Amino acid sequence: MSFVRFLARPMLASSFVLAGIDKLKNADDTAAQLSPLLRRTADALPFQTNEKVLARVIGGTQIGAGVCFALGKSARLAATILAVISALNGYVEWRSADISSKEARDARRKQLLKNVSLTGGVLLAAVDTAGKPSLAWRAGHLAADARKSAGHLAADARKTTNKKLKKADKVVRRAADRAAGA
């Protein structure tokens, strides 16, 4: 792991871990923020939702993914989970923010920008391959190498076949010449 990743991952993860701890401590507040969103989606979900339990699950997931990301363990998966949670948090906080005054609207906008920035940061981390080629790149190059090898094998087979045909042609001509001379 590079020195920058060594420092940057815990720095980025700290916000998520602290927010997750806050969600666990204040599950009632988080449940109140989630309630309007869950009321609209409750019909589409195949199970009964409990806002307080969901708030704790989100907080625990945020802490777990944040710690994994900070330690570099399954960092891309953890970053992807954090990106989803960050986008969800941004939406929920935007919808539940107070907009009764100019200061409240400014605070709402700043919170949205913070959430968008964090989401962007963990999205970048989710696609970071730490200098190693991605699976898509590896698969593409493996396929190109296989095509190249197959082309070389086909060329070798044509050469060998042509040599054998020429040799067989010579043998047949000699046999025909001998039969004609006899």
Side-chain angles (χ1 to χ4, degrees), residues 7-8 14 30 37 39 41 50 64 69 73 77 84 113 120 154 158 163-164:
L7 289 178
S14 65
T30 305
L37 176 66
R39 268 187 258 126
T41 59
N50 182 336
F69 180 68
K73 304 296 180 193
L77 174 63
V84 170
L113 289 174
R158 278 192 299 274
K163 284 181 184 178
K164 299 291 181 185

Side-chain angles (χ1 to χ4, degrees), residues 53-177:
V53 171
L54 184 60
R56 287 184 179 138
V57 167
I58 291 171
T61 303
Q62 204 166 355
I63 292 169
V67 168
C68 286
F69 180 68
L71 296 174
K73 304 296 180 193
S74 300
R76 292 177 71 192
L77 174 63
T80 303
I81 292 168
L82 291 175
V84 170
I85 289 173
S86 180
L88 175 66
N89 284 342
Y91 177 75
V92 168
E93 288 174 6
W94 174 260
R95 296 286 297 165
S96 65
D98 177 30
I99 56 170
S100 59
S101 67
K102 180 172 177 17
E103 293 81 23
R105 287 189 297 275
D106 287 343
R108 178 185 185 200
R109 186 179 66 246
K110 286 177 185 175
Q111 188 67 23
L112 176 67
L113 289 174
K114 181 198 78 150
N115 284 325
V116 167
S117 299
L118 285 172
T119 303
V122 291
L123 281 173
L124 280 174
V127 297
D128 178 30
T129 60
K132 297 175 186 166
S134 68
L135 290 177
W137 184 90
R138 290 181 205 176
H141 278 73
L142 182 63
D145 289 346
R147 282 191 300 271
K148 192 175 185 180
S149 295
H152 290 304
L153 288 173
D156 289 346
R158 278 192 299 274
K159 283 182 187 177
T160 303
T161 304
N162 286 339
K163 284 181 184 178
K164 299 291 181 185
L165 285 174
K166 285 179 184 178
K167 196 173 191 179
D169 188 44
K170 284 182 184 178
V171 170
V172 168
R173 284 187 186 177
R174 278 191 217 140
D177 288 345

Side-chain angles (χ1 to χ4, degrees), residues 35-51:
S35 185
L37 176 66
L38 289 177
R39 268 187 258 126
R40 280 186 269 154
T41 59
D43 296 336
L45 296 174
F47 51 86
Q48 187 65 25
T49 59
N50 182 336
E51 291 95 358

